[in-house]
Amino acid sequence: MDRFWLKYYPPGVPSDIDPSVYPSLVDLLEESFGRFRDARAYVCMDKALTFGEVDTLSQALAAWLQGRGLKQGARVAIMMPNVLQYPVAVAAVLRAGFIAVNVNPLYTARELEHQLNDSGAEAVIVLENFAATLQAALAHAPGVKHVVVGSLGDLLGFPKGPIVNFVVRHVRRMIPAWSLPGHTPFNSAIAAGKSMSFTRPNLGPQDVAVLQYTGGTTGVSKGATLLHRNVVANVLQNDAWLQPALEKPPHVEQLFIVCALPLYHIFALTLCGLFSTQRGMLNLLIPNPRDIAGLVRTLGQHRVNLFPAVNTLFNALVNHPDFDTVDWSNLKVSLGGGTAVQEAVSRLWQQKTGCTICEGYGLSETSPSACSNPTSVREFSGTIGVPIPSTRFRIWFE
């Protein structure tokens, strides 16, 4: 195939990447845990976890999961918003040799029941805010044998201070009543796992890593089967494509990325979760991006370098009255996906931040990035750009 689009690549972006650099996502994760061990990896509600802490916590949880008798390839559902438990949970599931099943925590019991049964999930890791939904679904999902329930304050390191304590107490008052017989608290599973043996699985590129559920335009949610090679490749494709933007001044010791998109969606999982880990970035987790005023206040406390979002979030932020209080001078790249970015939104964002929204296209089945505008773009193009490295596009008519 004549890849005519390569002539539009910015200088320094390769035409292809080598996904064999990491035989599996476990290799990618563990390399980063070692390289950046003392650096902060995730921050949420003023509490940070270092890469070393994510390593220790996820290995302990992985050991506990293996101790439940689950076999390699078992499906483990993760039903959480963007909280510190999520990166620990997904790393644990992968490191244990299991398959991560991402679940939207806002699902109804009926939707959850379908996904648990369709995926064949044998275990679920859930935040207690959504345990009532899980309780209702489990009556018709007999395959689930193990449930781990996390609390918002599990990894916040109490006593933390009056603000965090107030937030946690307030959230707990809003949690629906639930009762899950035999469930294990998140912190208890980790504490037990620290004294249990952990066996590193023998995983390869063709092993399944994630069942990513997507409804698309066809109704009932279906699981896209993503191999370790698929997701590793997309991490490296994003790394290659973003190089021109990441190398722009000013130089920073550690890149800072905002994860306001939900990690249970593949856009955020690959870009904010795994790519940021591979590059040793500090990842700001936003549990509730619908609280625009709160998000603006939080952004005002940081110097953001990468901001992935969808059109509705860009639009809500840039039109908030306090948006101009945020310092965007270190913003290197704004990434738009999920749906078309509107021209008016893109132009206003560029006017206020000095950074053009780099729009792309992908889908769950491609892990997800497939096509993107160059990060050197200086104005709204109204297109999805060109295929990223190691990607072929073909258009045909029937």
Side-chain angles (χ1 to χ4, degrees):
M1 177 185 290
D2 176 21
R3 292 191 283 170
F4 61 88
W5 52 79
L6 294 179
K7 64 184 177 182
Y8 298 104
Y9 275 27
V13 175
S15 60
D16 295 282
I17 53 93
D18 179 12
S20 67
V21 171
Y22 300 107
S24 74
L25 286 170
V26 174
D27 296 281
L28 183 154
L29 290 169
E30 292 181 346
E31 180 195 76
S32 293
F33 292 159
R35 285 180 62 197
F36 310 112
R37 193 160 194 85
D38 295 328
R40 294 186 300 166
Y42 293 93
V43 61
C44 182
M45 293 177 63
D46 296 328
K47 168 64 178 179
L49 291 178
T50 66
F51 285 91
E53 288 171 328
V54 177
D55 179 20
T56 300
L57 293 169
S58 64
Q59 181 168 313
L61 183 56
W64 184 89
L65 289 168
Q66 288 180 338
R68 302 309 95 195
L70 301 176
K71 305 300 182 184
Q72 184 167 322
R75 278 77 164 162
V76 179
I78 303 174
M79 187 175 176
M80 292 183 170
N82 293 0
V83 290
L84 291 174
Q85 290 94 332
Y86 184 94
V88 172
V90 75
V93 170
L94 295 172
R95 297 179 78 182
F98 305 146
I99 298 170
V101 181
N102 277 318
V103 177
N104 184 342
L106 299 181
Y107 267 171
T108 64
R110 185 173 181 178
E111 291 170 324
L112 177 58
E113 174 191 323
H114 162 74
Q115 186 168 335
L116 294 176
N117 289 325
D118 187 72
S119 66
E122 297 180 55
V124 179
I125 304 174
V126 63
L127 197 67
E128 66 177 348
N129 307 54
F130 312 99
T133 304
L134 176 60
Q135 179 183 353
L138 288 181
H140 303 284
V144 176
K145 306 299 183 185
H146 311 284
V147 177
V148 177
V149 180
S151 169
L152 189 62
D154 283 340
L155 301 179
L156 293 180
F158 293 131
K160 183 62 183 176
I163 295 178
V164 172
N165 284 327
F166 169 78
V167 171
V168 173
R169 288 196 304 269
H170 179 68
V171 170
R172 281 181 173 161
R173 286 199 299 269
M174 299 170 62
I175 296 173
W178 57 274
S179 175
L180 292 169
H183 79 273
T184 303
F186 188 86
N187 279 2
S188 297
I190 288 177
K194 288 180 178 179
S195 61
M196 299 173 69
S197 62
F198 167 70
T199 302
R200 193 181 189 280
N202 182 22
L203 294 170
Q206 299 304 313
D207 286 307
V208 179
V210 179
L211 291 182
Q212 186 64 47
Y213 275 74
T214 173
T217 59
T218 57
V220 67
S221 183
K222 294 167 289 295
T225 302
L226 304 180
L227 309 181
H228 281 266
R229 178 184 172 89
N230 297 147
V231 188
V232 164
N234 211 244
V235 169
L236 298 179
Q237 287 171 311
N238 278 291
D239 186 38
W241 193 251
L242 293 174
Q243 281 309 306
L246 301 183
E247 292 173 358
K248 290 191 304 186
H251 172 74
V252 294
E253 290 299 321
Q254 184 183 27
L255 290 166
F256 188 98
I257 187 170
V258 177
C259 186
L261 299 174
L263 282 165
Y264 55 81
H265 282 173
I266 192 63
F267 185 12
L269 175 64
T270 299
L271 188 69
C272 301
L274 297 168
F275 168 61
S276 71
T277 296
Q278 185 253 345
R279 286 298 302 262
M281 299 181 191
L282 176 56
N283 195 329
L284 173 64
L285 298 180
I286 305 297
N288 180 20
R290 293 178 177 84
D291 177 10
I292 300 300
L295 176 55
V296 170
R297 285 195 299 272
T298 300
L299 293 174
Q301 302 170 18
H302 303 281
R303 304 290 291 275
V304 178
N305 304 126
L306 293 87
F307 193 86
V310 293
N311 184 76
T312 51
L313 183 56
F314 282 123
N315 185 47
L317 278 171
V318 79
N319 284 291
H320 191 275
D322 295 331
F323 183 79
D324 293 335
T325 64
V326 180
D327 182 355
W328 295 100
S329 60
N330 277 17
L331 185 60
K332 295 174 179 289
V333 60
S334 305
L335 299 167
T339 187
V341 177
Q342 296 173 343
E343 181 174 2
V345 173
S346 179
R347 294 196 185 283
L348 185 57
W349 183 269
Q350 182 174 1
Q351 174 188 327
K352 291 198 171 189
T353 67
C355 183
T356 308
I357 296 176
C358 180
E359 186 173 5
Y361 167 80
L363 56 161
S364 296
E365 292 83 352
T366 56
S367 306
S369 302
C371 206
S372 177
N373 279 271
T375 56
S376 57
V377 65
R378 295 185 180 276
E379 60 183 16
F380 179 81
S381 71
T383 74
I384 58 171
V386 296
I388 60 177
S390 292
T391 301
R392 273 69 168 172
F393 265 60
R394 176 175 295 159
I395 301 174
W396 68 95
F397 301 93
E398 295 183 354

Short mmCIF file of all heavy atoms in Angstrom, two decimals, residues 317-324 326-329 331 345-355:
data_model
loop_
_atom_site.label_atom_id
_atom_site.label_comp_id
_atom_site.label_asym_id
_atom_site.label_seq_id
_atom_site.Cartn_x
_atom_site.Cartn_y
_atom_site.Cartn_z
N LEU A 317 -15.39 23.66 30.05
CA LEU A 317 -14.27 24.30 30.73
C LEU A 317 -14.00 25.70 30.20
O LEU A 317 -13.90 26.67 30.97
CB LEU A 317 -13.01 23.44 30.58
CG LEU A 317 -12.85 22.27 31.53
CD1 LEU A 317 -11.67 21.40 31.11
CD2 LEU A 317 -12.65 22.75 32.97
N VAL A 318 -13.87 25.81 28.88
CA VAL A 318 -13.44 27.07 28.30
C VAL A 318 -14.49 28.17 28.48
O VAL A 318 -14.17 29.36 28.43
CB VAL A 318 -13.08 26.86 26.81
CG1 VAL A 318 -14.32 26.80 25.93
CG2 VAL A 318 -12.10 27.92 26.34
N ASN A 319 -15.74 27.78 28.72
CA ASN A 319 -16.80 28.75 28.94
C ASN A 319 -17.10 29.00 30.42
O ASN A 319 -18.01 29.78 30.74
CB ASN A 319 -18.07 28.32 28.21
CG ASN A 319 -17.99 28.55 26.72
OD1 ASN A 319 -17.99 29.68 26.26
ND2 ASN A 319 -17.90 27.46 25.96
N HIS A 320 -16.34 28.36 31.31
CA HIS A 320 -16.55 28.60 32.73
C HIS A 320 -15.95 29.96 33.11
O HIS A 320 -14.86 30.33 32.64
CB HIS A 320 -15.90 27.49 33.57
CG HIS A 320 -16.30 27.54 35.01
ND1 HIS A 320 -15.65 28.33 35.93
CD2 HIS A 320 -17.29 26.89 35.68
CE1 HIS A 320 -16.22 28.18 37.11
NE2 HIS A 320 -17.22 27.31 36.99
N PRO A 321 -16.63 30.72 33.96
CA PRO A 321 -16.15 32.07 34.29
C PRO A 321 -14.78 32.12 34.95
O PRO A 321 -14.09 33.16 34.88
CB PRO A 321 -17.23 32.62 35.23
CG PRO A 321 -18.00 31.42 35.70
CD PRO A 321 -17.93 30.43 34.60
N ASP A 322 -14.35 31.02 35.59
CA ASP A 322 -13.05 31.03 36.26
C ASP A 322 -11.95 30.37 35.43
O ASP A 322 -10.83 30.16 35.92
CB ASP A 322 -13.16 30.29 37.60
CG ASP A 322 -14.08 31.01 38.58
OD1 ASP A 322 -14.18 32.25 38.48
OD2 ASP A 322 -14.71 30.33 39.41
N PHE A 323 -12.25 30.04 34.18
CA PHE A 323 -11.26 29.33 33.35
C PHE A 323 -9.95 30.11 33.23
O PHE A 323 -8.87 29.52 33.24
CB PHE A 323 -11.85 29.07 31.96
CG PHE A 323 -10.94 28.30 31.04
CD1 PHE A 323 -10.82 26.92 31.16
CD2 PHE A 323 -10.20 28.94 30.06
CE1 PHE A 323 -9.99 26.20 30.33
CE2 PHE A 323 -9.36 28.23 29.21
CZ PHE A 323 -9.25 26.86 29.34
N ASP A 324 -10.04 31.43 33.13
CA ASP A 324 -8.84 32.23 32.93
C ASP A 324 -7.95 32.31 34.17
O ASP A 324 -6.84 32.86 34.10
CB ASP A 324 -9.23 33.65 32.49
CG ASP A 324 -9.87 33.66 31.11
OD1 ASP A 324 -9.60 32.72 30.33
OD2 ASP A 324 -10.65 34.59 30.82
N VAL A 326 -6.72 29.67 35.49
CA VAL A 326 -5.80 28.54 35.34
C VAL A 326 -4.61 28.97 34.48
O VAL A 326 -4.78 29.64 33.46
CB VAL A 326 -6.51 27.34 34.69
CG1 VAL A 326 -5.54 26.16 34.54
CG2 VAL A 326 -7.72 26.93 35.51
N ASP A 327 -3.42 28.59 34.91
CA ASP A 327 -2.19 28.90 34.15
C ASP A 327 -1.96 27.79 33.12
O ASP A 327 -1.61 26.67 33.48
CB ASP A 327 -1.01 29.00 35.12
CG ASP A 327 0.29 29.38 34.40
OD1 ASP A 327 0.29 29.47 33.15
OD2 ASP A 327 1.31 29.56 35.09
N TRP A 328 -2.16 28.12 31.86
CA TRP A 328 -1.99 27.13 30.78
C TRP A 328 -0.67 27.32 30.04
O TRP A 328 -0.49 26.75 28.95
CB TRP A 328 -3.15 27.25 29.79
CG TRP A 328 -4.49 26.90 30.37
CD1 TRP A 328 -5.45 27.76 30.82
CD2 TRP A 328 -5.00 25.58 30.60
NE1 TRP A 328 -6.54 27.06 31.30
CE2 TRP A 328 -6.30 25.72 31.18
CE3 TRP A 328 -4.51 24.29 30.36
CZ2 TRP A 328 -7.09 24.63 31.51
CZ3 TRP A 328 -5.29 23.20 30.70
CH2 TRP A 328 -6.57 23.37 31.27
N SER A 329 0.25 28.07 30.59
CA SER A 329 1.48 28.40 29.86
C SER A 329 2.36 27.19 29.58
O SER A 329 3.22 27.24 28.68
CB SER A 329 2.27 29.47 30.62
OG SER A 329 2.64 28.99 31.91
N LEU A 331 1.10 24.17 28.81
CA LEU A 331 0.32 23.19 28.05
C LEU A 331 0.99 22.92 26.70
O LEU A 331 1.11 23.82 25.87
CB LEU A 331 -1.11 23.70 27.85
CG LEU A 331 -2.09 22.75 27.17
CD1 LEU A 331 -2.26 21.46 27.97
CD2 LEU A 331 -3.45 23.43 26.98
N VAL A 345 -15.55 25.72 19.56
CA VAL A 345 -14.90 25.28 20.80
C VAL A 345 -13.39 25.27 20.61
O VAL A 345 -12.63 25.76 21.46
CB VAL A 345 -15.41 23.89 21.22
CG1 VAL A 345 -14.61 23.36 22.41
CG2 VAL A 345 -16.90 23.95 21.55
N SER A 346 -12.93 24.72 19.49
CA SER A 346 -11.50 24.63 19.23
C SER A 346 -10.86 26.02 19.16
O SER A 346 -9.78 26.25 19.72
CB SER A 346 -11.26 23.87 17.92
OG SER A 346 -9.87 23.79 17.64
N ARG A 347 -11.53 26.93 18.48
CA ARG A 347 -10.95 28.27 18.32
C ARG A 347 -10.91 29.02 19.66
O ARG A 347 -9.93 29.71 19.96
CB ARG A 347 -11.75 29.06 17.29
CG ARG A 347 -11.63 28.49 15.88
CD ARG A 347 -12.10 29.47 14.82
NE ARG A 347 -12.08 28.87 13.49
CZ ARG A 347 -10.99 28.67 12.76
NH1 ARG A 347 -9.81 29.03 13.24
NH2 ARG A 347 -11.07 28.14 11.56
N LEU A 348 -11.95 28.88 20.47
CA LEU A 348 -11.96 29.55 21.77
C LEU A 348 -10.91 28.94 22.69
O LEU A 348 -10.23 29.66 23.45
CB LEU A 348 -13.35 29.45 22.40
CG LEU A 348 -13.56 30.21 23.73
CD1 LEU A 348 -13.26 31.69 23.55
CD2 LEU A 348 -14.98 30.00 24.24
N TRP A 349 -10.76 27.61 22.65
CA TRP A 349 -9.73 26.94 23.46
C TRP A 349 -8.34 27.44 23.07
O TRP A 349 -7.52 27.74 23.94
CB TRP A 349 -9.84 25.43 23.28
CG TRP A 349 -8.87 24.65 24.12
CD1 TRP A 349 -7.61 24.26 23.76
CD2 TRP A 349 -9.06 24.19 25.46
NE1 TRP A 349 -7.01 23.57 24.79
CE2 TRP A 349 -7.87 23.52 25.84
CE3 TRP A 349 -10.12 24.27 26.37
CZ2 TRP A 349 -7.73 22.93 27.10
CZ3 TRP A 349 -9.97 23.69 27.62
CH2 TRP A 349 -8.78 23.03 27.98
N GLN A 350 -8.09 27.51 21.78
CA GLN A 350 -6.79 27.98 21.32
C GLN A 350 -6.55 29.44 21.72
O GLN A 350 -5.46 29.82 22.14
CB GLN A 350 -6.69 27.85 19.80
CG GLN A 350 -5.33 28.28 19.25
CD GLN A 350 -5.21 28.01 17.76
OE1 GLN A 350 -6.14 27.51 17.13
NE2 GLN A 350 -4.07 28.33 17.19
N GLN A 351 -7.59 30.24 21.62
CA GLN A 351 -7.48 31.66 21.99
C GLN A 351 -7.12 31.83 23.46
O GLN A 351 -6.29 32.68 23.81
CB GLN A 351 -8.79 32.37 21.68
CG GLN A 351 -8.86 33.82 22.14
CD GLN A 351 -10.26 34.40 21.99
OE1 GLN A 351 -11.00 34.05 21.07
NE2 GLN A 351 -10.64 35.28 22.91
N LYS A 352 -7.71 31.01 24.33
CA LYS A 352 -7.52 31.20 25.77
C LYS A 352 -6.31 30.45 26.33
O LYS A 352 -5.77 30.85 27.36
CB LYS A 352 -8.79 30.76 26.51
CG LYS A 352 -9.97 31.68 26.28
CD LYS A 352 -11.04 31.48 27.33
CE LYS A 352 -12.12 32.53 27.24
NZ LYS A 352 -13.06 32.48 28.39
N THR A 353 -5.90 29.36 25.67
CA THR A 353 -4.77 28.57 26.20
C THR A 353 -3.52 28.72 25.37
O THR A 353 -2.42 28.39 25.84
CB THR A 353 -5.13 27.08 26.27
OG1 THR A 353 -5.28 26.56 24.94
CG2 THR A 353 -6.40 26.84 27.07
N GLY A 354 -3.68 29.15 24.12
CA GLY A 354 -2.53 29.21 23.22
C GLY A 354 -2.17 27.87 22.63
O GLY A 354 -1.13 27.73 21.99
N CYS A 355 -3.03 26.87 22.83
CA CYS A 355 -2.75 25.50 22.39
C CYS A 355 -3.91 25.00 21.54
O CYS A 355 -5.06 25.00 21.98
CB CYS A 355 -2.54 24.60 23.60
SG CYS A 355 -2.10 22.89 23.19
#
